[in-house]
Each structure stands twice: as C-alpha cells, then as structure tokens.
Amino acid sequence: MGAMTRLLGRSGIEVSALGMGCWAIGGPLQGGTDQYGWGPTDDAESIRAIQRARELGITFFDTASNYGAGHSERLLGQAVAGSRDDIVIATKWGYTFDEKTREATGEDSSLAYIRSCLHGSLRRLGTDYIDLYQLHLNGLPVPQALDMIGTLEELVEAGVIRAYGWSTDDPASAAAFAAAGAACTAIQHDMSVLNDAAAVIAVCEEQRLASINRGPLAMGLLSGKYHDGRSVGAADVRSQGYDWLAYFRNGAGAPEWLARVDAIRGALTADGRSLVQGALGWLWTRSEVTVPIPGFRTVAQVEENAGALAFGPLPADQFAEVQRLLTA
C-alpha cells in the first residue's frame, strides 16, 4: 500500500494526507502584553522535526508570514533547502509584524500587501513560488476578500503562487470566495473531533476544495497531556484566555473539555492507535477532503502524528461509536 495522500482541492496538487502546522515552531510573537506564540522553542530541534517529518512521508507544511514574525518561514526554508520541489508549502498573509522586534503590529487587507507580504515570504522561505497562499484574516468582510481575487489570479498566472485559499471559519465566506476564484482550492478552518465544522466541510465538498484542519488536536488537548492538571507557560498563546481558545482556561485544560476527551478516548484508541492518532483518523473518516495539520515542537511529536498515517482513517464502527458518545 502506498503512502496515504489526498488532493489539495481543485488544484489537483497531491499532498500527504497529514500536514505539519508550523505555528508553534515560530517561537515568540507578542503585541503589547498579548502573546501569539507557543512559548520558547529550540530551533535545532524544530529543523530536525521537519526533516523527520519528510523521512516519514509528510510532504505538506503550513506556515504563515507572521508566525514568530517570520521566524517559522525561515526555519521551514532552512529545513527543506535542496528538496523544495518535493514538498508543498502553504503560507498566509494579512497580519503585519516587525521582523526585528518580533512584534505583531496589526493587519493589512490592502491589495498592495498581498504582493509585499508574499515577497517577504518568498525571501524567508528561500523559494520562488508558494504552492498555496492563504488569506489569514478570518473575519474579513466578503466584499473585501472578493476584491483580492484579481490580484491573486495574476499571481497564479505569473507562477508565483500555484493556488490560493482563505483561513476562515465562516461557511458563507468560504463559499463566496471559492465561487468567485478559479484558483481558490482550499479553506483552512478549525476542526477536530471536539469541533465538527459540518457547514464548512459541506462547502468544501460541494466546491471541490481541500478542508485544511487547524486545531485538529484541539490546541494540544487531544494529546492527553493536560489531564494531570499541568498548565502551559505564560508566553504560550493558550494561557491568554482569548475567547476562541475554549479548550484551555487559565492555561490548563478546561475540565468540561477534558471530560469529553475521556468519554471518547476508548472509541478513538480501540484498534491500538494512540489518542492523537485516533483524533487524526477521525478527521480522515469524517470527509475525504480533510487534511489535518497538527502543530509540533519536537521530533517525538512529529513521529506520533505521522504514525497516524499507518493506521489511516478510523474504522467505521469506531467512528460511529465516537459520534454516539459525543451526542449522548
């Protein structure tokens, strides 16, 4: 049996069914007192982790210009130097930042920023093209997003990007963008066994788009590590209490969500896979368009995530049991 692959929507670009999300390896990013990174990281370990992912058959890497104020892109570029054409790189634009001070400075939805931000991404990644370029502003009004399509199509025509998409959790936004943009091929959105984004999945299936699943392990809650009451560090985004971060409270796993993980743990792991691997397998069974992109900071995390590929989609009986338990 060959490696498990999926198509990146209507672009026809083939990727490993599991991608790697490169937010955490970007290291610190702050805006005033707000933290947008995942705390301290070890760059040498991050590079080893990316290279290990490659060895294990991962071909899809998702980053963003602002992760670590450009640091994530630089690390990814370093790690894949010499094998650029063997992998598929997704990055994002929309947020502004200062590379030197590593500060988040706001957002920019202008057409000019699409190009200037892309130029910075190409420089940091050490490449002359991006496979998937994604609008990062989740809640941007649809008319503003649609105004960008002409520029994006020009960039596709020029070969600087191969396809584009939007990182948004709003199904109506996703549908409008995909309908208007010929080379729109993917929607990135929050999705996990704890948060079935059924309406966005429906749009992706109807419009032949990839559903790129960020938060497939519920920001780490589905690793099972937070059941012992441990909390994340002060520089970790999960300590910040943002309203979009329901799974953690005061930096520790939220008890009601930990209880839900416990309820489905047996069904996710019944065929011998780990909790992480069960959560990833659930996403593959849920729809043929899903490509989960769990984050990582260590080689060990990459190895566990990639181990899900050998198990593949969650068997139908386990999937049905998970659904039954979640609606009980």
Side-chain angles (χ1 to χ4, degrees):
M1 196 178 103
M4 194 180 154
T5 60
R6 295 210 151 171
L7 289 180
L8 212 50
R10 41 169 105 136
S11 69
I13 298 169
E14 191 177 71
V15 294
S16 52
L18 183 74
M20 290 287 147
C22 301
W23 179 11
I25 63 167
L29 175 68
Q30 56 205 43
T33 58
D34 285 339
Q35 299 289 341
Y36 302 112
W38 290 64
T41 50
D42 173 347
D43 288 349
E45 178 73 3
S46 299
I47 289 173
R48 282 193 296 272
I50 292 166
Q51 291 170 341
R52 184 67 180 133
R54 291 284 300 111
E55 288 168 8
L56 295 169
I58 307 294
T59 62
F60 182 52
F61 295 87
D62 176 88
T63 184
S65 54
N66 66 318
Y67 291 166
H71 192 62
S72 173
E73 287 184 327
R74 276 195 298 274
L75 283 180
L76 180 57
Q78 259 178 278
V80 302
S83 60
R84 167 67 184 97
D85 292 343
D86 301 332
I87 63 161
V88 175
I89 293 178
T91 193
K92 310 178 194 77
W93 90 93
Y95 289 106
T96 57
F97 53 92
D98 185 317
E99 266 185 84
K100 290 191 178 65
T101 63
R102 295 182 75 145
E103 282 177 289
T105 55
E107 51 187 64
D108 187 340
S109 56
S110 70
L111 298 185
Y113 191 57
I114 298 174
R115 293 177 186 273
S116 67
C117 193
L118 177 60
H119 184 75
S121 289
L122 294 170
R123 168 176 55 80
R124 288 185 293 270
L125 285 159
T127 184
D128 55 6
Y129 70 99
I130 301 296
D131 298 283
L132 176 65
Y133 201 39
Q134 301 162 104
L135 172 58
H136 205 172
L137 305 175
N138 193 332
L140 193 70
V142 168
Q144 277 180 265
L146 297 186
D147 284 346
M148 298 172 166
I149 283 176
T151 300
L152 292 165
E153 289 288 337
E154 284 170 24
L155 291 167
V156 172
E157 190 68 26
V160 194
I161 64 176
R162 292 173 73 191
Y164 54 86
W166 190 352
S167 180
T168 181
D169 294 307
D170 179 56
S173 299
F177 202 60
C184 174
T185 198
I187 297 298
Q188 182 166 147
H189 60 102
D190 188 69
M191 172 107 174
S192 72
V193 64
L194 299 177
N195 176 33
D196 182 0
V200 183
I201 288 286
V203 169
C204 291
E205 289 176 344
E206 285 158 19
Q207 302 255 15
R208 290 178 45 239
L209 305 172
S211 151
I212 299 174
N213 309 140
R214 59 176 144 76
L217 301 177
M219 306 291 278
L221 199 75
L222 284 158
S223 69
K225 281 193 309 200
Y226 295 95
H227 280 67
D228 61 3
R230 79 176 71 181
S231 55
V232 300
D236 191 309
V237 65
R238 294 171 295 179
S239 71
Q240 299 291 292
Y242 299 122
D243 51 9
W244 49 268
L245 243 169
Y247 303 117
F248 286 81
R249 193 172 304 126
N250 302 320
E256 67 275 23
W257 287 107
L258 292 172
R260 300 197 80 177
V261 174
D262 283 335
I264 58 176
R265 183 191 298 264
L268 288 173
T269 60
D271 58 350
R273 57 179 100 201
S274 71
L275 179 59
V276 160
Q277 293 161 351
L280 296 171
W282 182 90
L283 288 162
W284 292 321
T285 301
R286 174 64 181 81
S287 170
E288 289 184 1
V289 301
T290 57
V291 182
I293 50 165
F296 65 94
R297 274 188 284 197
T298 65
V299 169
Q301 287 170 331
V302 164
E303 289 174 340
E304 183 175 14
N305 293 344
L309 290 166
F311 284 100
L314 203 65
D317 58 335
Q318 287 174 244
F319 184 86
E321 177 66 1
V322 171
Q323 302 315 89
R324 188 187 70 75
L325 291 163
L326 284 173
T327 51

